[in-house]
């Protein structure tokens, strides 16, 4: 056990001692919990007998009496242990206190406590324990985070970013605010679901394993199906499957889609991420802008943080075309520029460019580098060049543009929406053009031609509006977090050096 710390060695010895005493450190029996800590604190009744279970977070031995703190999924409460009144299933009162509690129980152990409620002289609600049960022995010590509630200070915080993301389970145990982020994430998703369900739209599931990585321009993760003998791809988008359902007769469908892209990682990108995709028949992108305003305002009003009051969610949201935005913040009018002209603009603006980049990619880079950060209040960036939007209808009034918008809030893209292209011949031609360019220049990122999707379009798809909303980024916005890793329970990371300890 040379790789173990001194504390880990001691705890393993305690584990052996417990077994010698006939105490199962990992019992199978159900433990009867009569209340939660939150309910106890809200509905305190003097002398009420209760039974709770949770993790021991503090333990202070004071001779014949000791104080501890237990934490369940709803909160923390103080426990009072008395030598003369504490008992257990396996041991007598004196041994329960002197041996079981004082020598064999550790901070981090999961315990059950039965006792009655009272208030201390400091008016703190406390459980007077008369029975103690070990439910799971912790053989690895927790970080000891000390909180000075009076002065609102935290000492020895478990705050190392890499450790927190790798050991999210520890992060959740010792940093209460982290759990609140993910509870809020769940409530946000549920509120969106309720909003869409109330409109009569149907939640569906579409394949994660796909034979063609379609619906977006991205590099996929590839795998292989042994029985079928074919390569498969983790989905980069679910768009084409949801459109198939509109073709099949559904009026409105949505999916909280887990997508996967084999690309770079930074504070707003993770290889797997969650997107809400919504498609409504007989609507267009103008309708979708109005709908998005209503949805976003609803979510904002319910979940905004006080610190977010610098963002004004007054409707209607501002609207500006992407080319006008670029002209406003760079001074360059890109409307009639060809690829080489765009490259020269990038060079002048010190923006990444190379000969392999398409016109769409060059325009996208300019906007993201020079414009996006300026939009703090919700703003619709509209009317993208056709080259940037191979799945979008051409604009009904503006030549060479498409009926597409992105919603930018606090300098980040939150949503992307189209009047969906439903002309099968135009769609096939645009996908083929996209493929030609990809094969010639950027093989890692491509828009594949899904022949079955084209066949589906040939049966006729009604005019349709579609939108994708980045759930992770929306949660970042509503929880005031600057990194996507903060709102993912288990963000992707490199394996630990030296193997698992």
């Amino acid at each position: 056990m040379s790789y173990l710390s001194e504390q880990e060695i001691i705890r393993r010895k305690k584990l052996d001692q417990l077994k010698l005493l006939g105490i199962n450190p990992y019992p199978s029996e159900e433990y009867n919990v009569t209340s939660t800590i939150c309910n106890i604190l809200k509905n305190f009744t003097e002398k009420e007998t209760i039974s709770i279970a949770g993790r021991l977070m503090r333990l202070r031995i004071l001779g014949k009496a000791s104080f501890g703190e237990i934490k369940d999924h709803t909160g923390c409460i103080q426990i009072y242990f008395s030598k003369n009144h504490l008992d257990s299933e396996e041991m007598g009162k004196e041994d329960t206190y002197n041996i079981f509690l004082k020598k064999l129980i550790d901070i981090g152990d999961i315990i059950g406590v039965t006792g009655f409620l009272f208030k201390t002289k400091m008016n703190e609600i406390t459980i007077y324990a008369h029975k103690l049960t070990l439910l799971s022995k912790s053989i690895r010590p927790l970080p000891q985070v000390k909180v000075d509630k009076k002065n609102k200070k935290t000492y020895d915080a478990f705050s190392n970013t890499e450790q927190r993301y790798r050991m999210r389970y520890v992060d959740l145990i010792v940093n209460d605010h982290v759990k609140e982020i993910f509870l809020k994430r769940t409530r946000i998703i549920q509120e969106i679901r309720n909003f869409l369900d109330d409109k009569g739209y149907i939640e569906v599931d579409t394949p994660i394993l796909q034979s063609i990585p379609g619906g977006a321009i991205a590099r996929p993760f590839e795998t292989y199906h042994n029985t079928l003998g074919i390569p498969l791809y983790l989905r980069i988008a679910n768009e084409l499957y949801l459109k198939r359902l509109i073709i099949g007769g559904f009026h409105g469908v949505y999916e909280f889609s887990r997508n996967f892209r084999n690309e770079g990682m930074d504070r707003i990108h993770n290889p797997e991420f969650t997107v809400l995709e919504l498609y409504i028949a007989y609507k267009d992108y103008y309708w979708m802008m109005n709908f998005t305003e209503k949805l976003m305002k609803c979510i904002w009003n319910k979940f905004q943080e006080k610190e977010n009051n610098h963002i004004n969610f007054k409707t209607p949201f501002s609207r500006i075309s992407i080319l006008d935005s670029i002209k406003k913040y760079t001074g360059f009018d890109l409307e009639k520029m060809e690829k080489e002209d765009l490259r020269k603009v990038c060079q002048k603006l010190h923006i990444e460019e190379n000969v392999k980049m398409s016109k769409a990619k060059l325009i996208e880079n300019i906007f993201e580098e020079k414009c996006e950060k300026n939009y703090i209040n919700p703003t619709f960036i509209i009317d993208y060049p056709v080259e940037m939007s191979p799945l979008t209808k051409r604009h009904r009034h503006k030549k060479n543009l498409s009926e597409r918008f992105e919603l930018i809030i606090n300098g980040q893209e939150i949503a992307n929406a189209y009047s969906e292209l439903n002309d099968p011949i135009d769609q096939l031609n645009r996908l083929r053009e996209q493929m030609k360019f990809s094969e010639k220049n950027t093989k890692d990122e491509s828009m594949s031609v899904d022949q079955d999707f084209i066949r589906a379009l040939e049966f006729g798809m009604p005019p349709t509006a579609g939108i994708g909303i980045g759930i992770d980024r929306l949660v970042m916005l509503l929880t005031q977090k600057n990194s996507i890793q903060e709102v993912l329970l288990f963000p992707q990371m490199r394996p630990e050096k030296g193997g698992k300890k």
Side-chain angles (χ1 to χ4, degrees), residues 481-495:
K481 298 303 173 187
N482 293 319
S483 169
I484 194 172
Q485 286 78 19
E486 290 286 348
V487 299
L488 299 174
L489 278 168
F490 301 103
Q492 195 64 46
M493 302 185 74
R494 293 183 187 277

Side-chain angles (χ1 to χ4, degrees), residues 11-12 14-28 90 100 104-105 109-111 133-139:
R11 289 191 177 214
R12 279 165 170 73
K14 290 182 180 182
L15 193 69
D16 294 335
Q17 290 174 321
L18 286 165
K19 292 175 181 178
L20 288 173
L21 290 169
I23 299 173
N24 184 352
Y26 306 104
S28 302
E90 297 87 358
F100 192 32
L104 300 178
I105 294 293
D109 289 353
I110 297 173
I111 60 173
T133 305
L134 178 63
L135 300 175
S136 182
K137 182 67 181 168
S138 171
I139 58 174

Side-chain angles (χ1 to χ4, degrees), residues 31-41 43-54 70 72 77-80 112-118 125-132:
Y31 185 82
N32 182 35
V33 175
T34 62
S35 186
T36 64
I37 290 172
C38 179
N39 187 56
I40 290 167
L41 297 176
N43 305 290
F44 169 74
T45 303
E46 188 84 32
K47 299 293 184 180
E48 179 187 4
T49 298
I50 56 91
S51 181
I52 63 168
I70 188 173
D72 71 0
I77 193 170
Q78 182 170 264
I79 313 170
Y80 175 74
V113 173
T114 300
F116 64 85
L117 301 176
F118 75 103
I125 297 173
T126 304
I127 301 171
Y128 194 123
H130 60 74
K131 187 175 181 182
L132 174 65

